[in-house]
Amino acid sequence: MSKTLNQAKILLVDDDPDILELLEYNLAKENYQLAKAYDGKEALEIAQVFKPALIIMDVMMPVMDGIETARKMKLMPELKNTLILFLTARGEEFTEVAAFDAGAHDYIIKPIKPRALVSRINALLKRETTEETQDIIEIGGLVINRTQYAATFEGRALILPKKEFELLSYLAKNPNKVFNRDELLEKVWGADVYVVERTVDVHIRKLREKIPEHYIKTLKGVGYLFSIEKA
């Protein structure tokens, strides 16, 4: 891991001491700088001073729940660049949608193996420090060469029209980040080009016919994300 990631600050927020201890133990081995809070109100107070790069937070907590806490954090100038990852036992779709609406960058349902969680955290932080001009993207058997406008899966060349390639490339260079249709239309087609939202859905469907479906996941009511994990 890079020095930048090693120095990243992470705030852990959960009312369960055992969960906090488990997170603290595994992330300390990665040399992250850690702080912890037991509810949303305490998290807000600590975050203003600690200024973490990432906040890992439960949804259901006393005093102030995680959703409300995330909303308040997004209004604080000192936390405008802070990432929020929800780690929760709440698996209902409406809770997940509410979390992303509140500003979450990732949503993980407990239980999850510590090694898998650390991998997701590393990927989330690395994504924010990766240069936008990344020329070659390799994820699993998928290789995307943005300079040559070429893509292969397990050595097999993929025949992708320009917009399919650009959509796949944009999603892949931002793994595990959810984008709604409007964001994808603006980033891939351009703000000055008029196309309907269904255009994104059609291109996603065509991409899923050419690469394994687990790469591009749909979060109902929110949008699409490129997953680095198999279903």
Side-chain angles (χ1 to χ4, degrees):
M1 195 191 309
S2 70
K3 183 178 179 181
T4 301
L5 291 185
N6 280 345
Q7 294 176 341
K9 294 181 179 180
I10 300 178
L11 173 59
L12 312 173
V13 190
D14 201 303
D15 61 325
D16 186 336
D18 291 337
I19 294 293
L20 286 178
E21 184 178 349
L22 180 64
L23 290 172
E24 202 169 15
Y25 173 76
N26 284 282
L27 292 173
K29 291 193 295 185
E30 298 290 309
N31 296 319
Y32 286 116
Q33 299 179 55
L34 305 172
K36 57 186 177 182
Y38 293 92
D39 59 61
K41 184 174 181 294
E42 185 181 15
L44 286 172
E45 295 170 354
I46 293 175
Q48 290 182 69
V49 179
F50 187 58
K51 295 181 176 61
L54 171 66
I55 296 170
I56 303 174
M57 183 160 52
D58 192 12
V59 171
M60 298 300 295
M61 296 183 294
V63 186
M64 184 185 298
D65 66 52
I67 304 296
E68 183 181 354
T69 303
R71 290 197 187 104
K72 290 182 180 296
M73 286 176 169
K74 285 304 173 183
L75 297 175
M76 299 165 63
E78 57 266 53
L79 299 180
K80 65 179 181 179
N81 296 320
T82 296
L83 303 172
I84 298 176
L85 182 157
F86 278 103
L87 179 62
T88 176
R90 298 291 295 270
E92 310 93 346
E93 184 179 301
F94 70 86
T95 302
E96 191 169 351
V97 170
F100 281 109
D101 284 345
H105 295 80
D106 203 352
Y107 189 98
I108 299 175
I109 299 172
K110 301 173 185 174
I112 182 172
K113 294 180 179 179
R115 186 174 298 177
L117 176 60
V118 169
S119 177
R120 288 279 285 269
I121 291 167
N122 289 344
L124 184 60
L125 287 167
K126 185 178 181 180
R127 187 181 75 208
E128 295 302 308
T129 58
T130 299
E131 292 183 0
E132 287 292 314
T133 55
Q134 186 178 3
D135 290 329
I136 297 179
I137 303 169
E138 296 186 42
I139 301 178
L142 182 64
V143 179
I144 301 169
N145 188 318
R146 299 176 64 219
T147 302
Q148 299 179 2
Y149 261 75
T152 62
F153 179 71
E154 294 183 346
R156 173 176 54 86
L158 301 176
I159 307 302
L160 301 174
K162 183 178 179 182
K163 287 305 176 187
E164 282 183 35
F165 178 87
E166 290 177 352
L167 178 59
L168 176 62
S169 176
Y170 185 74
L171 288 170
K173 75 175 182 178
N174 296 286
N176 289 329
K177 182 174 182 179
V178 178
F179 294 98
N180 61 40
R181 291 181 181 87
D182 287 338
E183 289 174 318
L184 292 174
L185 286 173
E186 180 179 346
K187 296 294 185 181
V188 177
W189 278 265
D192 56 344
V193 178
Y194 178 75
V195 289
V196 297
E197 287 188 350
R198 292 293 296 174
T199 299
V200 175
D201 300 336
V202 171
H203 281 70
I204 292 291
R205 177 174 57 79
K206 289 180 178 179
L207 285 173
R208 284 173 170 161
E209 292 173 355
K210 299 171 183 178
I211 61 175
E213 289 191 11
H214 71 78
Y215 276 115
I216 302 176
K217 294 184 177 179
T218 302
L219 188 60
K220 291 182 180 179
V222 181
Y224 298 103
L225 66 81
F226 189 92
S227 176
I228 59 175
E229 299 175 352
K230 290 187 177 182

PDB file of all heavy atoms in Angstrom, residues 25-37:
ATOM      1  N   TYR A  25      -8.637  -3.381  15.296  1.00  0.00           N
ATOM      2  CA  TYR A  25      -7.570  -4.381  15.235  1.00  0.00           C
ATOM      3  C   TYR A  25      -7.091  -4.592  13.797  1.00  0.00           C
ATOM      4  O   TYR A  25      -5.879  -4.585  13.516  1.00  0.00           O
ATOM      5  CB  TYR A  25      -8.070  -5.709  15.816  1.00  0.00           C
ATOM      6  CG  TYR A  25      -7.096  -6.860  15.638  1.00  0.00           C
ATOM      7  CD1 TYR A  25      -5.954  -6.968  16.429  1.00  0.00           C
ATOM      8  CD2 TYR A  25      -7.329  -7.832  14.662  1.00  0.00           C
ATOM      9  CE1 TYR A  25      -5.056  -8.018  16.257  1.00  0.00           C
ATOM     10  CE2 TYR A  25      -6.441  -8.881  14.483  1.00  0.00           C
ATOM     11  CZ  TYR A  25      -5.305  -8.974  15.280  1.00  0.00           C
ATOM     12  OH  TYR A  25      -4.422 -10.004  15.100  1.00  0.00           O
ATOM     13  N   ASN A  26      -8.049  -4.757  12.863  1.00  0.00           N
ATOM     14  CA  ASN A  26      -7.686  -5.063  11.479  1.00  0.00           C
ATOM     15  C   ASN A  26      -7.149  -3.855  10.726  1.00  0.00           C
ATOM     16  O   ASN A  26      -6.248  -3.989   9.895  1.00  0.00           O
ATOM     17  CB  ASN A  26      -8.908  -5.639  10.743  1.00  0.00           C
ATOM     18  CG  ASN A  26      -9.183  -7.077  11.136  1.00  0.00           C
ATOM     19  OD1 ASN A  26      -8.528  -8.000  10.687  1.00  0.00           O
ATOM     20  ND2 ASN A  26     -10.159  -7.263  12.021  1.00  0.00           N
ATOM     21  N   LEU A  27      -7.661  -2.672  11.022  1.00  0.00           N
ATOM     22  CA  LEU A  27      -7.193  -1.477  10.311  1.00  0.00           C
ATOM     23  C   LEU A  27      -5.878  -0.950  10.880  1.00  0.00           C
ATOM     24  O   LEU A  27      -5.089  -0.330  10.161  1.00  0.00           O
ATOM     25  CB  LEU A  27      -8.267  -0.392  10.352  1.00  0.00           C
ATOM     26  CG  LEU A  27      -9.521  -0.732   9.534  1.00  0.00           C
ATOM     27  CD1 LEU A  27     -10.605   0.313   9.752  1.00  0.00           C
ATOM     28  CD2 LEU A  27      -9.188  -0.852   8.059  1.00  0.00           C
ATOM     29  N   ALA A  28      -5.627  -1.202  12.164  1.00  0.00           N
ATOM     30  CA  ALA A  28      -4.349  -0.803  12.759  1.00  0.00           C
ATOM     31  C   ALA A  28      -3.204  -1.558  12.091  1.00  0.00           C
ATOM     32  O   ALA A  28      -2.103  -1.016  11.917  1.00  0.00           O
ATOM     33  CB  ALA A  28      -4.358  -1.072  14.257  1.00  0.00           C
ATOM     34  N   LYS A  29      -3.461  -2.808  11.680  1.00  0.00           N
ATOM     35  CA  LYS A  29      -2.435  -3.595  10.992  1.00  0.00           C
ATOM     36  C   LYS A  29      -2.088  -3.009   9.624  1.00  0.00           C
ATOM     37  O   LYS A  29      -1.023  -3.266   9.088  1.00  0.00           O
ATOM     38  CB  LYS A  29      -2.908  -5.051  10.835  1.00  0.00           C
ATOM     39  CG  LYS A  29      -2.989  -5.809  12.157  1.00  0.00           C
ATOM     40  CD  LYS A  29      -3.150  -7.298  11.943  1.00  0.00           C
ATOM     41  CE  LYS A  29      -4.459  -7.642  11.278  1.00  0.00           C
ATOM     42  NZ  LYS A  29      -4.665  -9.113  11.172  1.00  0.00           N
ATOM     43  N   GLU A  30      -3.028  -2.205   9.092  1.00  0.00           N
ATOM     44  CA  GLU A  30      -2.795  -1.536   7.803  1.00  0.00           C
ATOM     45  C   GLU A  30      -2.159  -0.162   7.999  1.00  0.00           C
ATOM     46  O   GLU A  30      -1.964   0.582   7.040  1.00  0.00           O
ATOM     47  CB  GLU A  30      -4.118  -1.385   7.052  1.00  0.00           C
ATOM     48  CG  GLU A  30      -4.800  -2.688   6.705  1.00  0.00           C
ATOM     49  CD  GLU A  30      -4.050  -3.462   5.638  1.00  0.00           C
ATOM     50  OE1 GLU A  30      -3.727  -2.875   4.584  1.00  0.00           O
ATOM     51  OE2 GLU A  30      -3.784  -4.663   5.856  1.00  0.00           O
ATOM     52  N   ASN A  31      -1.870   0.172   9.251  1.00  0.00           N
ATOM     53  CA  ASN A  31      -1.212   1.441   9.594  1.00  0.00           C
ATOM     54  C   ASN A  31      -2.056   2.693   9.370  1.00  0.00           C
ATOM     55  O   ASN A  31      -1.529   3.789   9.201  1.00  0.00           O
ATOM     56  CB  ASN A  31       0.127   1.593   8.847  1.00  0.00           C
ATOM     57  CG  ASN A  31       1.131   0.526   9.256  1.00  0.00           C
ATOM     58  OD1 ASN A  31       1.249   0.195  10.430  1.00  0.00           O
ATOM     59  ND2 ASN A  31       1.835  -0.025   8.283  1.00  0.00           N
ATOM     60  N   TYR A  32      -3.372   2.536   9.364  1.00  0.00           N
ATOM     61  CA  TYR A  32      -4.234   3.707   9.291  1.00  0.00           C
ATOM     62  C   TYR A  32      -4.247   4.425  10.636  1.00  0.00           C
ATOM     63  O   TYR A  32      -4.072   3.803  11.697  1.00  0.00           O
ATOM     64  CB  TYR A  32      -5.666   3.292   8.936  1.00  0.00           C
ATOM     65  CG  TYR A  32      -5.857   2.882   7.496  1.00  0.00           C
ATOM     66  CD1 TYR A  32      -6.235   1.580   7.161  1.00  0.00           C
ATOM     67  CD2 TYR A  32      -5.659   3.793   6.468  1.00  0.00           C
ATOM     68  CE1 TYR A  32      -6.414   1.196   5.843  1.00  0.00           C
ATOM     69  CE2 TYR A  32      -5.834   3.424   5.149  1.00  0.00           C
ATOM     70  CZ  TYR A  32      -6.212   2.126   4.837  1.00  0.00           C
ATOM     71  OH  TYR A  32      -6.384   1.758   3.528  1.00  0.00           O
ATOM     72  N   GLN A  33      -4.467   5.732  10.609  1.00  0.00           N
ATOM     73  CA  GLN A  33      -4.666   6.499  11.836  1.00  0.00           C
ATOM     74  C   GLN A  33      -6.148   6.416  12.196  1.00  0.00           C
ATOM     75  O   GLN A  33      -7.002   6.757  11.375  1.00  0.00           O
ATOM     76  CB  GLN A  33      -4.246   7.959  11.633  1.00  0.00           C
ATOM     77  CG  GLN A  33      -2.784   8.139  11.257  1.00  0.00           C
ATOM     78  CD  GLN A  33      -2.435   9.596  11.056  1.00  0.00           C
ATOM     79  OE1 GLN A  33      -2.650  10.429  11.937  1.00  0.00           O
ATOM     80  NE2 GLN A  33      -1.895   9.926   9.887  1.00  0.00           N
ATOM     81  N   LEU A  34      -6.442   5.993  13.415  1.00  0.00           N
ATOM     82  CA  LEU A  34      -7.825   5.676  13.773  1.00  0.00           C
ATOM     83  C   LEU A  34      -8.352   6.511  14.935  1.00  0.00           C
ATOM     84  O   LEU A  34      -7.620   6.890  15.836  1.00  0.00           O
ATOM     85  CB  LEU A  34      -7.941   4.191  14.136  1.00  0.00           C
ATOM     86  CG  LEU A  34      -7.447   3.195  13.081  1.00  0.00           C
ATOM     87  CD1 LEU A  34      -7.438   1.787  13.652  1.00  0.00           C
ATOM     88  CD2 LEU A  34      -8.320   3.267  11.834  1.00  0.00           C
ATOM     89  N   ALA A  35      -9.659   6.780  14.867  1.00  0.00           N
ATOM     90  CA  ALA A  35     -10.391   7.370  15.982  1.00  0.00           C
ATOM     91  C   ALA A  35     -11.739   6.664  16.013  1.00  0.00           C
ATOM     92  O   ALA A  35     -12.157   6.061  15.013  1.00  0.00           O
ATOM     93  CB  ALA A  35     -10.573   8.872  15.790  1.00  0.00           C
ATOM     94  N   LYS A  36     -12.440   6.705  17.154  1.00  0.00           N
ATOM     95  CA  LYS A  36     -13.721   6.002  17.219  1.00  0.00           C
ATOM     96  C   LYS A  36     -14.760   6.799  17.997  1.00  0.00           C
ATOM     97  O   LYS A  36     -14.436   7.630  18.849  1.00  0.00           O
ATOM     98  CB  LYS A  36     -13.540   4.612  17.837  1.00  0.00           C
ATOM     99  CG  LYS A  36     -12.920   4.596  19.222  1.00  0.00           C
ATOM    100  CD  LYS A  36     -12.652   3.153  19.659  1.00  0.00           C
ATOM    101  CE  LYS A  36     -11.963   3.117  21.023  1.00  0.00           C
ATOM    102  NZ  LYS A  36     -11.650   1.741  21.442  1.00  0.00           N
ATOM    103  N   ALA A  37     -16.022   6.519  17.671  1.00  0.00           N
ATOM    104  CA  ALA A  37     -17.148   7.164  18.338  1.00  0.00           C
ATOM    105  C   ALA A  37     -18.257   6.124  18.493  1.00  0.00           C
ATOM    106  O   ALA A  37     -18.346   5.175  17.705  1.00  0.00           O
ATOM    107  CB  ALA A  37     -17.635   8.353  17.526  1.00  0.00           C
TER     108      ALA A  37
END
